Amino acid sequence: MAVTLADVAARAGVSSATVSRVLSGNYPVAGATRSRVLRAVDELEYVVNGPASSLAAASSDLLGILVNDIADPFFGIIAGAVQGELEGRTDGPGPRKLAVVCNTGGSPERELTYLTLLQRQRAAAIVLTGGAVEDPQHSAALTTRLRRLAAGGTRIVLCGRPPLDEPAAATGTGARQPGPPPSGPELSGPPPSGPVSSAKPRSAAGDRGPLSAAHDGTRGGVLTVAFDNYGGARELTEHLLALGHRHIGYVAGPAERTTTRHRLEGHRAALAAHGGVTADRAEQLTVHGGGYDRSCGYQGARELLRRAPGTTAVLAANDTVALGVCAALREMGLRVPQDVSVAGFDDLPFSVDTSPALTTVRLPLQEAGARAGQLALGTLAPPPSGIVTVRHELRLRASTAPPRTGG
Amino acid sequence: MAVTLADVAARAGVSSATVSRVLSGNYPVAGATRSRVLRAVDELEYVVNGPASSLAAASSDLLGILVNDIADPFFGIIAGAVQGELEGRTDGPGPRKLAVVCNTGGSPERELTYLTLLQRQRAAAIVLTGGAVEDPQHSAALTTRLRRLAAGGTRIVLCGRPPLDEPAAATGTGARQPGPPPSGPELSGPPPSGPVSSAKPRSAAGDRGPLSAAHDGTRGGVLTVAFDNYGGARELTEHLLALGHRHIGYVAGPAERTTTRHRLEGHRAALAAHGGVTADRAEQLTVHGGGYDRSCGYQGARELLRRAPGTTAVLAANDTVALGVCAALREMGLRVPQDVSVAGFDDLPFSVDTSPALTTVRLPLQEAGARAGQLALGTLAPPPSGIVTVRHELRLRASTAPPRTGG
DNA sequence: CTGTTAGCGCTTTCAC
DNA sequence: GTGAAAGCGCTAACAG
């Protein structure tokens, strides 16, 4: 349990510095010496002491990945892709860096805790995946933390969540306590229909406008791989509208998550543009689930159909939720898509295999993860804006069809 | 990026030793001093240097989790549960230890590589999840590695894979080069129907016998959380047999994986016990997929039905594969379960929501992960055998029914 | 190309 | 209860 560099050096008849150089490979060493060292390493079964080298080199080969739910393939796919980028570009037979996947469970506190843990380990980079929680206090804390980390040399990449706000340039001293928005509620349960409409003002603008107005290319060094949740949802709703649906329900995810908000706003925007559905009606047809799992879909659909039995189509927060929605509908004796159309979001692997196959919006999770990994490793040069947006794509399948009675 | 213990000490007017003691909390320190230190820590936003403390303390707070496929919920659920155990029993507001989830992609080399990386970081414990690859050479290498690690104080836990063989006690000097079994092939593609029958001899006995015959309680310090893949598969086949099926196809996973072998053997055992199906016939009705994903199920089912059009039931390697099987059947115009029954394995969350709901064997993945985590942390006292077996359970749902013509 | 020499920041005896 | 000091094993100047 204790063979050190010095041992190897002694065995090979060289200094420990030479062994170190051979091992790190970034320094010229004579061929003969090198192989002698390598042999000694082998014979002694020497394994580098990571902490020691991290300490001496003031850097580590750890890359942190924060996910909201590791049991959800959405995150698994992204995390796997990020991790995949750690391999390949290595000298030896495998990855040199280690990916640390941290499961926050969607909890802001844990997010911060893991950030501390990662910082403690002097992680080389950190990728934060999935929707962020929109509590202003937490956002401020997180932004500060992330900026500080980035300033300290840790590469920070957001994947699937909105870019950090611009560093306060003209406004004043700091972003520490941005006044809470009019709607106010922090983490307390928002009223059933409140947060969406109240959030609307900062809405689409906040989600898209700033991208072009960036002064600081790297936004304080924090890079982003963005999904267009808004656009995807809008297109999906347009598809339903085109099919003739007018009573479109929406089973949304947790109200405080950015992903939820953006998708819902896209949906509302399509409705508004079409004009056939009032905002009130849209509101009435929206149900908020507490999470992104199937039971939320199941319960959401029951609630929705109780509230509005005439619903002819249901949009779900994501594919998993859509599965729950389908289950509930079936149980109520409603056929998909003959009686009610259903659509998901994400296009997880199972979605093509459900019965009926799920209409959804495909998010290139694999690609997004890979890009995030590249940005984190510095393999991919970040664009001037600091934001890489990946493309989504409508996947029209069997779960959506024209309504029975034409609307 | 560089506030150190000394800085905090200076600020608090104490020595760095005192600060260290306050922070680690395992040493008496005067209340006044402690709070003074804590305040300084806060004011300076001090974050411990993990590598430095790991080096000095010769230990780290990293826990490694090796998974075959991080995008597969099977592993995500287990990993999440392991990680969950890291929380709770802490002083501060969150986990003190960090879980490092490593995605091996099922590759033996990468498994070894990650083990090295983890060893390099001086991980406190390592949990290896999911089926192992049965190449004798790799097994030997892995076993040696694991034993060495365990001997060096790293806690090793196997979750969902068979226990390590007993350390060679009477046989000789070491387990370094156990003679390759009669069937011989190492990593080369095995013949379509070969490995299973050739593996049969070491079969059920190897899977169950040794458990009771253990002399070394901890098997060289390597603990195991075991699934009864064999028993689950056997019960599932018995269920189908009882329903009246006689032409039962099996779409298996990768041939070289222990999970595949055990499940297949359980299936074969039920068939043999029942007597109505010859071994040849069973062989003919077995198709091997290259992985555990839906496309393997899809292609496997097509192959199977081509080979044996009279098949009335299909058992899949797992739920995900079963999804692909269902898709293929539907595409061929066969209804599930009226024309063909289908069953999976694992009972992943989506399985209850497919249409029809999938008959399967529930594996308590969450519980298994939690147990593995506890063993890894030393929170749970290992049983004398070193092996914790978790219970499985048949989940009979709508995808299985009696065959059309009674057999 | 290789050896020498300082630390990296923390933990931990050992005194006081 | 607290401080002083000696490393933990490695890297990175700096000489040669």
Side-chain angles (χ1 to χ4, degrees):
Chain A
M1 194 51 194
V3 31
T4 73
L5 247 204
D7 299 332
V8 178
R11 179 90 142 124
V14 298
S15 76
S16 60
T18 300
V19 178
S20 171
R21 295 198 262 252
V22 169
L23 260 25
S24 52
N26 49 18
Y27 207 86
V29 173
T33 317
R34 137 174 274 100
S35 49
R36 203 140 37 86
V37 168
L38 255 17
R39 193 151 45 73
V41 164
D42 228 55
E43 293 169 347
L44 264 34
E45 293 188 305
Y46 170 70
V47 175
V48 179
N49 183 320
S53 71
S54 292
L55 172 58
S59 77
S60 91
D61 43 10
L62 252 38
L63 179 150
I65 306 176
L66 262 51
V67 301
N68 288 333
D69 181 6
I70 198 178
D72 185 338
F74 176 91
F75 294 101
I77 292 170
I78 294 178
V82 172
Q83 200 155 157
E85 290 301 315
L86 300 187
E87 322 202 350
R89 45 199 100 261
T90 64
D91 29 295
R96 184 155 201 77
K97 287 205 197 274
L98 251 188
V100 181
V101 179
C102 306
N103 194 208
T104 67
S107 147
E109 298 80 42
R110 250 177 307 187
E111 192 164 70
L112 258 9
T113 304
Y114 275 121
L115 241 27
T116 302
L117 248 31
L118 256 11
Q119 182 177 3
R120 186 175 295 182
Q121 299 298 332
R122 301 300 187 256
I126 302 178
V127 179
L128 291 91
T129 66
V133 167
E134 293 197 296
D135 172 43
Q137 201 151 318
H138 174 244
S139 298
L142 187 63
T143 299
T144 306
R145 267 315 260 313
L146 260 20
R147 287 255 165 66
R148 209 190 300 286
L149 243 7
T154 306
R155 274 209 170 78
I156 305 290
V157 181
L158 308 179
C159 179
R161 61 170 63 185
L164 252 37
D165 290 334
E166 285 303 302
T171 333
T173 24
R176 294 228 77 160
Q177 287 298 340
S183 55
E186 303 196 342
L187 261 187
S188 51
S193 57
V196 170
S197 40
S198 59
K200 240 174 176 173
R202 47 177 176 171
S203 137
D207 201 21
R208 306 148 72 78
L211 311 203
S212 43
H215 347 103
D216 176 350
T218 56
R219 294 177 170 248
V222 176
L223 272 15
T224 302
V225 175
F227 297 140
D228 185 6
N229 287 308
Y230 178 92
R234 199 185 21 153
E235 290 167 31
L236 197 51
T237 298
E238 283 164 359
H239 158 65
L240 254 16
L241 250 10
L243 242 28
H245 290 277
R246 292 300 174 269
H247 305 284
I248 308 176
Y250 197 99
V251 178
E256 72 285 1
R257 233 47 104 56
T258 53
T259 309
T260 298
R261 182 164 64 80
H262 296 161
R263 292 183 184 176
L264 191 41
E265 285 169 4
H267 167 64
R268 295 281 171 86
L271 252 29
H274 182 271
V277 183
T278 68
D280 266 9
R281 176 66 174 159
E283 194 78 62
Q284 186 197 352
L285 289 182
T286 301
V287 175
H288 270 281
Y292 284 114
D293 54 282
R294 61 126 351 216
S295 70
C296 293
Y298 181 87
Q299 291 168 351
R302 296 186 70 86
E303 162 72 10
L304 184 65
L305 272 285
R306 187 179 317 128
R307 211 188 276 176
T311 301
T312 65
V314 180
L315 253 39
N318 69 13
D319 290 352
T320 306
V321 172
L323 230 50
V325 169
C326 288
L329 293 174
R330 266 199 302 275
E331 211 179 276
M332 290 184 265
L334 295 167
R335 291 163 306 162
V336 178
Q338 296 90 332
D339 300 317
V340 180
S341 286
V342 175
F345 211 109
D346 294 346
D347 194 25
L348 295 185
F350 64 75
S351 303
V352 69
D353 282 326
T354 54
S355 166
L358 206 58
T359 286
T360 187
V361 176
R362 158 159 267 262
L363 250 26
L365 301 178
Q366 175 99 31
E367 183 199 339
R371 289 256 175 287
Q374 290 161 5
L375 288 174
L377 294 177
T379 311
L380 174 68
S385 66
I387 302 170
V388 174
T389 302
V390 295
R391 285 263 111 309
H392 63 273
E393 207 178 315
L394 228 47
R395 283 282 198 268
L396 303 181
R397 294 199 276 243
S399 70
T400 49
R404 245 171 137 50
T405 59
Chain B
M1 194 50 193
V3 30
T4 71
L5 248 204
D7 298 332
V8 178
R11 179 88 142 126
V14 299
S15 76
S16 59
T18 301
V19 178
S20 172
R21 296 199 260 252
V22 168
L23 259 25
S24 50
N26 48 19
Y27 207 87
V29 173
T33 316
R34 135 174 276 100
S35 51
R36 203 139 38 85
V37 169
L38 255 17
R39 192 149 46 72
V41 164
D42 226 55
E43 291 169 349
L44 264 32
E45 293 187 307
Y46 170 69
V47 175
V48 178
N49 182 320
S53 70
S54 292
L55 171 58
S59 78
S60 91
D61 43 9
L62 252 38
L63 179 149
I65 306 176
L66 263 50
V67 301
N68 289 333
D69 181 6
I70 198 177
D72 184 338
F74 176 91
F75 293 101
I77 292 170
I78 294 178
V82 172
Q83 201 155 156
E85 291 300 316
L86 300 187
E87 324 202 348
R89 46 199 99 263
T90 64
D91 28 296
R96 181 158 203 75
K97 290 206 193 276
L98 251 188
V100 181
V101 179
C102 306
N103 193 208
T104 67
S107 147
E109 299 78 45
R110 250 177 306 186
E111 193 165 69
L112 258 10
T113 304
Y114 275 121
L115 241 26
T116 302
L117 249 32
L118 255 10
Q119 183 177 1
R120 188 175 292 181
Q121 299 298 333
R122 302 296 187 258
I126 302 178
V127 179
L128 292 90
T129 66
V133 167
E134 294 198 291
D135 171 44
Q137 202 151 318
H138 175 245
S139 298
L142 187 63
T143 299
T144 306
R145 265 320 258 311
L146 260 21
R147 286 256 165 66
R148 209 190 299 287
L149 243 7
T154 306
R155 273 211 170 78
I156 305 289
V157 181
L158 308 179
C159 179
R161 63 169 63 185
L164 251 37
D165 291 333
E166 285 303 303
T171 332
T173 23
R176 294 226 79 159
Q177 287 299 341
S183 55
E186 305 197 342
L187 261 187
S188 51
S193 57
V196 170
S197 39
S198 60
K200 239 175 177 174
R202 45 178 179 172
S203 138
D207 201 22
R208 306 149 71 77
L211 311 202
S212 42
H215 348 104
D216 178 349
T218 57
R219 292 177 173 250
V222 177
L223 272 15
T224 302
V225 176
F227 296 142
D228 186 6
N229 287 309
Y230 177 92
R234 200 187 20 160
E235 289 166 31
L236 197 51
T237 299
E238 283 164 359
H239 160 65
L240 255 15
L241 251 9
L243 242 28
H245 291 277
R246 293 300 174 268
H247 305 283
I248 307 175
Y250 196 100
V251 178
E256 72 286 0
R257 233 47 104 55
T258 52
T259 308
T260 298
R261 182 163 65 80
H262 295 162
R263 290 182 185 177
L264 191 41
E265 286 170 4
H267 168 63
R268 295 282 171 84
L271 253 29
H274 182 270
V277 184
T278 70
D280 267 10
R281 177 64 174 161
E283 195 78 60
Q284 187 197 351
L285 290 183
T286 301
V287 175
H288 270 281
Y292 285 113
D293 53 284
R294 63 132 341 223
S295 70
C296 294
Y298 181 87
Q299 291 169 350
R302 295 186 70 87
E303 161 72 9
L304 184 66
L305 272 286
R306 188 180 316 129
R307 209 188 275 176
T311 300
T312 63
V314 180
L315 253 39
N318 69 13
D319 291 350
T320 307
V321 172
L323 230 51
V325 169
C326 288
L329 293 174
R330 265 199 302 275
E331 210 178 278
M332 291 184 264
L334 295 168
R335 292 162 304 164
V336 178
Q338 295 90 333
D339 300 317
V340 180
S341 286
V342 175
F345 211 108
D346 294 345
D347 194 27
L348 295 184
F350 65 74
S351 302
V352 69
D353 283 324
T354 55
S355 164
L358 204 57
T359 286
T360 188
V361 175
R362 158 159 266 262
L363 250 29
L365 301 177
Q366 176 99 31
E367 184 199 337
R371 289 259 176 285
Q374 291 161 4
L375 288 174
L377 294 177
T379 310
L380 174 67
S385 66
I387 301 170
V388 175
T389 302
V390 294
R391 285 262 114 307
H392 63 271
E393 206 179 316
L394 228 49
R395 282 282 200 268
L396 304 182
R397 295 198 275 243
S399 70
T400 50
R404 247 173 137 48
T405 59

